[in-house]
């Protein structure tokens, strides 16, 4: 797909309209997913200021360090209609922000994850402007994916599925979690990802910790192993998929019992996805059968998170989220059961809510696979 499809110029126009509707005079976006969403520019985050100045009306300006201007010009940003202004080392770049706004402003929206030193410098440069979060505006634009974005997420899903299908090459008793993770990371890059965002290889009792990571612990025969992996594609869109494997030998008896409960719950939650159900209802579709089987306390986290240019973004499938799902929303379905000190399991797929149901972007089997 072309960058003009993935990062179309009309996004800036839509963002300007939404900025005005929110009562903001401008958005000020430093490097991160919001800047990339609007311009396609995957900017370097550093102490030198890079900032998209997007006024509610008027010409957008991308302020960059002079040494990074070639990268900005080579990105999709110029095709979106932004003007590029640079600054040299040793000069104060913050007056360029005020100049790009071309007049007094009452309120600006700052990138949600802007560095504190930049927030304070912008406060000094624009002392009369109230500071709010740009997420108030951009969340609603980003939460529903375009066809091109869904295609990019599907490409990422296929790439990470290829890695899971090769797990038998690396995961076996006697190897450490870290050794397996090293092989997985190389494979993630080999499938086309430009970065490896995370590799969790959690064997035996480590599988009871959802965010374990890896360790030098050797994997034991008959142990369940949770493998949660993801990365970023050249498009900027991300993958995230979890499968639980059995490393040879015979699995603990209760593990086999609750793994089937988990698999049924994950499939039920995927099947429940459609426009109109809430994030809380989607969460309940996974949580209720797990609780009914007696493992409710062992399901420690929400059922899912949105995904796109960020690994975690809106919408979240969690109790209390009464926002209805809509076509174009992309998110994980990833219930887990974790028995502290013993073992655990998680199954995760990325799905997209469609006009009449759900599209799964991960398609590898969810049956327990003995390697």
């Amino acid at each position: 797909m072309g960058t003009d499809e993935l990062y179309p110029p009309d996004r800036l126009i839509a963002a300007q309209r939404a900025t005005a509707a929110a009562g903001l005079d401008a958005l000020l976006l430093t490097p991160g997913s919001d800047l990339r969403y609007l311009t396609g520019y995957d900017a370097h985050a550093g102490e030198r200021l890079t900032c998209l100045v997007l006024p509610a009306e008027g010409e957008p300006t991308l302020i960059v360090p002079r040494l990074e201007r070639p990268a900005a010009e080579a990105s999709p940003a110029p095709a979106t209609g932004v003007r590029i202004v640079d600054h040299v080392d040793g000069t104060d770049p913050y007056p360029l922000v005020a100049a790009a706004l071309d007049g007094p402003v009452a309120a600006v929206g700052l990138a949600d994850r802007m560095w504190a030193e930049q927030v304070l410098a912008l406060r000094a440069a624009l002392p009369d402007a109230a500071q709010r979060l740009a997420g108030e505006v951009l969340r609603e634009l980003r939460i529903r994916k375009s066809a091109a974005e869904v295609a990019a997420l599907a490409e990422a899903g296929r790439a990470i599925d290829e890695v899971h299908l090769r797990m038998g090459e690396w995961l076996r008793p006697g190897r450490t979690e870290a050794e397996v993770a090293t092989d997985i990371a190389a494979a993630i890059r080999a499938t086309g990802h430009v970065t490896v965002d995370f590799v969790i290889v959690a064997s035996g009792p480590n599988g009871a910790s959802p965010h374990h990571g890896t360790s030098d612990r050797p994997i034991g025969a008959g142990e369940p192993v949770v493998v949660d992996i993801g990365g970023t594609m050249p498009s900027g869109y991300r993958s995230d998929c979890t499968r639980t494997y059995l490393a040879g030998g015979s699995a603990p008896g209760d593990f086999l019992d609750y793994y089937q409960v988990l698999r049924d719950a994950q499939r039920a939650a995927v099947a429940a996805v459609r426009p109109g159900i809430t994030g809380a209802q989607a969460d309940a579709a996974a949580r209720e059968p797990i609780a009914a089987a007696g493992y409710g306390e062992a399901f420690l986290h929400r059922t899912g998170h949105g995904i796109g240019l960020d690994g975690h973004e809106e919408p979240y499938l969690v109790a209390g989220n009464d926002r209805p799902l809509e076509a174009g929303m992309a998110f994980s379905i990833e219930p887990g059961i974790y028995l502290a000190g013993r073992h655990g399991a998680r199954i995760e797929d990325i799905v997209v809510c469609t006009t009449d149901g759900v599209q799964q972007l991960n398609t590898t089997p969810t049956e327990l696979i003995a390697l």
Side-chain angles (χ1 to χ4, degrees), residues 246-340:
L246 188 64
S250 299
D254 60 339
F255 174 81
L256 296 176
D257 291 339
Y258 77 70
Y259 186 85
Q260 188 58 50
V261 171
L262 176 67
R263 183 168 181 254
D264 290 344
Q266 199 264 352
R267 294 168 72 187
V270 170
V273 172
R274 62 184 183 279
I277 75 161
T278 67
Q281 289 172 322
D283 177 80
R287 195 167 303 277
E288 288 172 358
I290 291 174
Y295 296 102
E297 294 299 314
F299 183 2
L300 304 175
H301 51 74
R302 64 195 174 207
T303 292
H305 58 81
I307 190 170
L309 288 170
D310 283 316
H312 287 191
E313 58 183 54
E314 299 278 357
Y316 294 102
L317 308 189
V318 65
N321 181 7
D322 294 326
R323 176 169 181 160
L325 299 180
E326 302 174 49
M329 291 183 176
F331 43 85
S332 66
I333 301 285
E334 53 175 308
I337 295 175
Y338 311 96
L339 301 187

Side-chain angles (χ1 to χ4, degrees), residues 92-274:
D92 182 0
Y94 289 92
L96 296 176
V97 176
L101 290 170
D102 193 27
V105 293
V108 294
L110 306 184
D112 287 15
R113 297 172 189 176
M114 183 182 288
W115 292 4
E117 64 184 35
Q118 296 166 336
V119 173
L120 297 178
L122 287 168
R123 182 175 294 170
L126 303 167
D128 297 324
Q131 294 180 333
R132 288 162 49 190
L133 293 177
E136 297 175 29
V137 173
L138 295 177
R139 185 179 302 115
E140 286 304 307
L141 299 181
R142 290 181 55 182
I143 198 169
R144 289 171 294 274
K145 272 50 180 182
S146 67
E149 289 180 283
V150 171
L153 286 167
E155 179 185 37
R158 288 190 296 271
I160 210 69
D161 280 356
E162 288 182 30
V163 180
H164 273 294
L165 290 171
R166 295 180 57 194
M167 203 59 59
E169 298 177 28
W170 315 303
L171 202 163
R172 55 184 176 270
R175 300 198 77 203
T176 68
E177 295 172 346
E179 288 170 339
V180 174
T182 297
D183 291 332
I184 291 173
I188 291 173
R189 292 187 182 92
T191 61
H193 292 81
V194 294
T195 61
V196 178
D197 295 337
F198 54 89
V199 177
I200 293 174
V201 180
S203 61
N206 290 338
S209 175
H211 282 176
H212 163 67
T214 64
S215 74
D216 291 329
R217 180 185 187 277
I219 297 168
E223 286 186 338
V225 185
V226 179
V227 178
D228 184 356
I229 54 178
T232 302
M233 298 292 284
S235 64
Y237 286 78
R238 306 206 182 202
S239 64
D240 187 358
C241 184
T242 308
R243 294 292 183 263
T244 301
Y245 299 92
L246 188 64
S250 299
D254 60 339
F255 174 81
L256 296 176
D257 291 339
Y258 77 70
Y259 186 85
Q260 188 58 50
V261 171
L262 176 67
R263 183 168 181 254
D264 290 344
Q266 199 264 352
R267 294 168 72 187
V270 170
V273 172
R274 62 184 183 279

